[in-house]
Amino acid sequence: MTGSPAPHLDGLPHYFAAGIGAGPANLSLAALFRSGTSESIALFDRQPAAGWHEGLLHSGVRMQTSWMKDLVSVVDPTHELSFLNYLVRNGRLFSLINAQFDVIPRREYMRYLAWAADHMDDVHYGHEVDVVTFEAGRFVVHCDEKPVATARHLVVGVGTQPARLPGLATLPAERSFVADDLHRRLPQMTEGDKAVPVAVIGGGQTGCECVLRLLDEGFTDIRWYDRSTWFHTIDDSPIANDVYRPSHVQFLQGLSRPTRRRLVEEMQHTGIALTPGAMRTLYQANYDRMLVTGEFPVTLLPGREVSGGALVDGEVALDVVSAEKREQHRVGYAVVAIGRVNTPVPLAPELVAQIDVDTDGEVLVGDDYAVTWKGMAENGIYALNRSMYVNGITDNNLTLLPVRAATVLNSMLGREVYTVSDDLSPVRWG
Ligand SMILES: Cc1cc2nc3c(=O)[nH]c(=O)nc-3n(C[C@H](O)[C@H](O)[C@H](O)COP(=O)(O)OP(=O)(O)OC[C@H]3O[C@@H](n4cnc5c(N)ncnc54)[C@H](O)[C@@H]3O)c2cc1C
């Protein structure tokens, strides 16, 4: 008789699927697992408890998507983990309706995620996945340098992290930091600092929210930089929103890879920009403050790229490049809000070596979000929020989470557990 092929794995919990990360992407998948199958899924997240972009939860910030686009409803509106059910179970329904929000507070969405996670069996917080290996025909999840679970399929839902400006790398951390750290830095600043110029670099929604937070805190000289000619807002027209539906994703999936990439590039302004109304809120707050003090506390500086900076005479000296000039701007602090980059995926090098990449070195992800790799016939690696140029701009936001989760689930189980249909559309994409 032969022994176990991997005795060090004996006794570990074995799941049908394991997910790295318990953000909305993997939570949506786990929710559909729960209602659509009898198979098990476990999620591992490094956060100590349920949370969602907590560094960016300034007072009053709102979602960019409708509350109907929750973890489950667009695929399964009768699911017990719908946002509506969350409101009813927590006694908030009438108050929320009567508050007449156009879009709900981000904090409410975070609470909803925490509530949903709490209703699932195997969401493990405080578990940073160091590495995933593939041994004896299964994925092995390691945390704290120890194997903690094995699974037949793996789902990567590690999301994004703030991008940093390499040119500011030499500045002390307390003088230049990313937007996600602003809430932690503010209590360390003095009343005197509020009159010191503060640069916010990056003209997107996060930059705007940082400017508003600084205004709220009483800062009187906020300088807001963006490299584009003006601060762009999201195109929220009906036809722009038609890009965020399954019929458009299916249209894209029928095109060649280069064409998909080109179309997705052209669509960025439908999703990655300021929420309509955000600029009005900022203009009005700036005007209100000017009425009191006689000066605008916020100066908008479009068409300026901040390329670097250094500490000079105790001040942050920023190198600023515009269409025809190169200048140095002196500020006290620099808040960096230039977007987000993919969080590294902790796969063992031997596993990475078995994954196919295209000619640009990008991992090949299919229409079912499965990564092309040697063992894919039996063991799937699914990548969420990693294939925008293949599966459309919806891949990196919340609008079609349940549709993507249903697609992954159907692929893993090799049958149609959930039907995704979107046939009644007035638009014929071409
Ligand atoms: C401030 C902000 C607001 C946004 N608002 C909207 C919106 O209103 N509408 C919209 O459509 N989109 C929005 N987005 C874009 C996008 O939908 C969100 O970023 C969304 O959270 C992506 O979900 P995710 O699950 O893929 O990733 P994340 O939410 O980033 O979750 C990833 C999780 O993985 C965990 N993780 C990472 N690495 C490891 C590891 N090695 N081990 C264990 N755990 C790990 C992280 O702790 C995290 O909890 C917003 C983005 C930001 C930054």
Side-chain angles (χ1 to χ4, degrees), residues 13 87 106 112 159 185 215 240 243 251 288 306 319 336 369 420:
L87 289 179
R106 218 184 276 153
Y112 159 65
R185 296 287 169 195
L215 257 183
V243 162
F251 156 72
D288 277 342
V306 176
D319 302 320
V336 178
Y369 303 89
V420 175

Side-chain angles (χ1 to χ4, degrees), residues 21 23-25 45-47 52-53 64-65 129 157-159 385 397-398:
D45 199 296
R46 63 180 166 204
Q47 297 192 86
W52 184 61
H53 301 314
Q64 291 186 303
T65 29
V129 178
V158 294
N385 204 341
N397 63 46
L398 306 173

Side-chain angles (χ1 to χ4, degrees), residues 20-26 44-47 51-53 56 62-65 106 127-130 157-160 180 206 209 340 343-344 346 384-385 395-399 401 404:
I20 320 174
N26 262 339
F44 299 91
D45 199 296
R46 63 180 166 204
Q47 297 192 86
W52 184 61
H53 301 314
L56 298 168
R62 303 279 182 259
M63 296 296 290
Q64 291 186 303
T65 29
R106 218 184 276 153
H127 281 67
E128 168 138 21
V129 178
D130 325 313
V158 294
T160 57
D180 297 54
T206 298
E209 288 169 6
R340 301 186 71 87
T343 304
L384 311 183
N385 204 341
D395 190 46
N396 64 6
N397 63 46
L398 306 173
T399 47
L401 282 187
R404 182 176 61 192

